[in-house]
Amino acid sequence: MKFAIITDVHGNFDALEAVLDDIDSRNDIETIYNLGDNIGVGHETNKVLDAIFDRDDMEIIAGNHDEAIMSLVNDTPYPEDLKDKFYEHHQWIESHLDEDYYDRLNQLPRKIEKSINQRKLLFIHYEISNDKLNTPIDGIPFSPIVEPTENNMTQLFSDKDADFIAFGHNHTVHLFDDKSTIDFNPGAVGLNNGSYAVYGIVTINGNEIDVERVKVPYDNEEFLRGYDEKQVPGKDLIFDKFL
């Protein structure tokens, strides 16, 4: 069995399109697991949602930006940890979000669990301790980001029972496959990689799990110009920290 992992598209349709085209060209990817943060930071919100919700082969979970933006839609408390950085930007995203997607975004789960060839697989945006899996986003359920070391990953996910854990949120690659539980973050599709989009391919053959990170070149100039053309709030922070 072979599947793909994408995460942190962050409103960058051009990067997402490059990744999906590469996945489709392979003709051997059975499922795409999308680990959240599809909207926010980037400005191509509805184009991204059109692309992901139109596919029959994609399973999707929620990220913290997805949930924070939906808190504005739902008129529920907004998370304090994002207020200083993203509140105005998220308001802008919410004002441009097609209401046809409200229900689907609200219904996204926070994790997906699978069992393949007696191997337990967990797909999650980032660690949420088991006692916070139902905590609303304003309760800050996602654990603080830790440095991507093998020891930190073991401690971070110590309450999870899985042979393979795929996650996103921290936009840099993590691959720790030399221990009993494989931890893998392919990096953000839409941010932090310049003119490349990234994703992961996982192959399960018997009890063996093989992981590959794929980098796909794409033209990011139109995406970058869009911040000025659309007068996107928060551009300075976004360019400084994420692009």
Side-chain angles (χ1 to χ4, degrees):
M1 172 174 192
K2 185 176 289 189
F3 58 83
I5 297 171
I6 69 172
T7 188
D8 296 274
V9 175
H10 280 295
N12 186 342
F13 173 75
D14 299 324
L16 173 64
E17 184 178 44
V19 162
L20 293 179
D21 285 348
D22 192 77
I23 290 171
D24 290 340
S25 72
R26 295 173 182 268
N27 295 315
D28 61 354
I29 304 294
E30 298 180 33
T31 306
I32 303 169
Y33 292 99
N34 179 331
L35 307 187
D37 273 3
N38 284 287
I39 58 177
V41 184
H43 50 80
E44 297 169 330
T45 305
N46 295 315
K47 292 173 71 174
V48 165
L49 295 177
D50 287 344
I52 65 171
F53 286 133
D54 192 49
R55 296 187 70 105
D56 295 327
D57 60 348
M58 187 179 292
E59 297 192 38
I60 308 169
I61 60 176
N64 60 308
H65 282 262
D66 306 322
E67 292 193 22
I69 291 164
M70 291 311 296
S71 76
L72 299 174
V73 171
N74 299 328
D75 195 26
T76 54
Y78 182 87
E80 288 292 331
D81 63 327
L82 294 178
K83 187 164 284 187
D84 290 343
K85 297 179 180 179
F86 285 107
Y87 186 65
E88 184 181 5
H89 173 78
H90 281 170
Q91 286 181 311
W92 186 89
I93 297 292
E94 183 269 336
S95 71
H96 291 79
L97 175 60
D98 189 330
E99 64 183 30
D100 289 344
Y101 292 120
Y102 289 178
D103 287 344
R104 297 193 73 170
L105 287 166
N106 277 325
Q107 292 167 9
L108 293 178
R110 281 183 167 168
K111 65 175 181 174
I112 297 170
E113 294 177 293
K114 299 285 183 181
S115 181
I116 300 174
N117 292 356
Q118 299 183 328
R119 306 286 271 175
K120 296 179 181 178
L121 313 180
L122 172 66
F123 304 90
I124 192 167
H125 184 64
Y126 202 65
E127 164 66 356
I128 303 175
S129 62
N130 291 336
D131 62 346
K132 291 186 177 181
L133 283 170
N134 295 313
T135 299
I137 191 63
D138 64 294
I140 312 179
F142 290 95
S143 297
I145 290 175
V146 297
E147 289 295 317
T149 67
E150 181 174 325
N151 184 58
N152 282 346
M153 293 303 102
T154 298
Q155 294 186 38
L156 182 68
F157 294 110
S158 61
D159 64 342
K160 300 296 186 287
D161 179 19
D163 301 299
F164 174 85
I165 301 175
F167 60 98
H169 189 52
N170 184 357
H171 301 149
T172 59
V173 62
H174 304 54
L175 176 55
F176 301 101
D177 59 355
D178 202 18
K179 58 194 186 79
S180 59
T181 297
I182 297 172
D183 302 307
F184 180 48
N185 175 353
V189 169
L191 303 176
N192 293 110
N193 294 290
S195 57
Y196 287 89
V198 299
Y199 73 99
I201 296 176
V202 178
T203 304
I204 300 180
N205 187 1
N207 288 326
E208 296 296 319
I209 301 176
D210 294 318
V211 180
E212 175 188 0
R213 182 176 186 251
V214 181
K215 294 179 66 175
V216 183
Y218 79 104
D219 184 353
N220 65 347
E221 290 301 316
E222 182 176 355
F223 176 68
L224 296 177
R225 287 196 304 269
Y227 285 91
D228 287 326
E229 293 170 355
K230 299 176 184 179
Q231 299 182 331
V232 180
K235 176 198 167 186
D236 290 344
L237 171 68
I238 291 167
F239 272 56
D240 181 49
K241 300 296 185 182
F242 301 108
L243 295 174

